[in-house]
Amino acid sequence: MVHIGQLIKSVFDSKGKSCTIEWFASQLNCKRANIYNIFNRPTIDSQLLEQISIILGHDFFKELSNNMRVTRPEKSPTSTEHDAKRELYDNMMSGISRSVYREIRRLSLTRQIADVARLNHLDDENSMLPPSRFAVFVMGKEDPDVKPHIHLRSIADRYELRIGLDNSKMLSVKRRGASDYKEAANAAFQWLGLPSAIDPALTNRDMALALYTSLNTLRKA
């Protein structure tokens, strides 16, 4: 089993002198002692790991997933009921893209559907919204009165935008700092129409809408 704290420390150390304990603590809005505590943890909360992935620009979820080894048991005569349930489940999932399902599973490391689904974690650094500078994500537990939308967070400038998925109009803006966010918003409008890095068969808008719907539907179930 991967010791997540040691893995985080290894990635942190690889960033060089530009990444100090003080800087890391300020990004997580915590004390220095908490950072050393994180390095010593064998397990970690998925929401905190999402924050650390964004700050360090490293997909820890993917690395943990790559280290998982699942052994499928041999089929037995008593597996008929299991097969029937699997077929029923597959039929239920037929309306959701397989890539969307895999992305939700990737985020479900604690056997619970994650609150946040990151949409640009596989994007190239030369893309419109490089993952080292921006976090683009959808969330569960959203207000049912608000239309489906993405969140666009600037890692460096600390502002956060909400952009609707039905007409690409900006919803409310959560601003921290005085940075101008118009350029990022315009980039997001174009980015939504591009093929998704998660599944090129879908646009970023289609992927975001499917994940948004899946997360919030599953939360209510």
Side-chain angles (χ1 to χ4, degrees):
M1 182 176 177
V2 176
H3 190 292
I4 187 61
Q6 293 177 359
L7 180 58
I8 292 171
K9 186 177 187 303
S10 175
V11 173
F12 172 80
D13 290 341
S14 71
K15 298 297 181 179
K17 295 181 179 179
S18 60
C19 290
T20 64
I21 294 293
E22 290 78 7
W23 171 84
F24 197 15
S26 68
Q27 294 298 303
L28 285 173
N29 194 26
C30 68
K31 298 179 180 179
R32 283 170 51 97
N34 291 33
I35 300 300
Y36 295 111
N37 177 266
I38 288 173
F39 291 160
N40 290 323
R41 292 185 191 178
T43 61
I44 194 169
D45 177 78
S46 60
Q47 286 184 306
L48 178 57
L49 187 60
E50 173 76 14
Q51 286 183 276
I52 294 172
S53 296
I54 293 170
I55 292 168
L56 295 182
H58 184 89
D59 191 346
F60 289 100
F61 291 98
K62 183 178 181 181
E63 194 154 349
L64 288 172
S65 180
N66 289 339
N67 278 278
M68 291 176 64
R69 295 290 183 270
V70 180
T71 303
R72 185 181 297 275
E74 294 184 6
K75 194 170 182 179
S76 65
T78 59
S79 63
T80 304
E81 183 180 355
H82 176 272
D83 291 344
K85 289 181 178 179
R86 168 56 61 182
E87 183 177 359
L88 176 62
Y89 180 76
D90 286 342
N91 290 336
M92 290 171 61
M93 290 298 298
S94 62
I96 302 177
S97 164
R98 288 299 175 196
S99 59
V100 175
Y101 171 63
R102 286 196 300 270
E103 190 66 8
I104 293 175
R105 287 287 295 170
R106 184 187 71 80
L107 293 166
S108 304
L109 299 180
T110 59
R111 299 183 178 227
Q112 296 178 349
I113 300 301
D115 286 330
V116 178
R118 181 89 180 267
L119 296 167
N120 68 329
H121 66 283
L122 296 178
D123 281 21
D124 188 88
E125 283 300 316
N126 295 319
S127 68
M128 288 183 171
L129 301 174
S132 63
R133 294 181 54 208
F134 298 99
V136 183
F137 55 95
V138 294
M139 299 180 64
K141 295 184 178 179
E142 289 282 15
D143 187 336
D145 295 330
V146 179
K147 294 182 179 179
H149 56 276
I150 61 171
H151 295 251
L152 171 62
R153 179 182 298 157
S154 169
I155 296 171
D157 297 323
R158 309 283 296 202
Y159 60 74
E160 183 174 317
L161 315 180
R162 296 195 307 163
I163 298 173
L165 290 172
D166 55 349
N167 53 14
S168 292
K169 288 185 178 179
M170 192 179 302
L171 303 178
S172 61
V173 179
K174 301 177 182 178
R175 291 193 64 182
R176 303 185 189 93
S179 299
D180 185 1
Y181 54 83
K182 292 181 181 179
E183 184 176 346
N186 290 333
F189 296 151
Q190 299 179 55
W191 179 85
L192 284 170
L194 298 178
S196 168
I198 298 172
D199 184 350
L202 299 174
T203 65
N204 284 311
R205 177 183 284 103
D206 291 337
M207 175 62 72
L209 185 58
L211 276 169
Y212 182 97
T213 302
S214 299
L215 285 177
N216 284 284
T217 300
L218 287 167
R219 278 295 184 185
K220 296 172 184 176

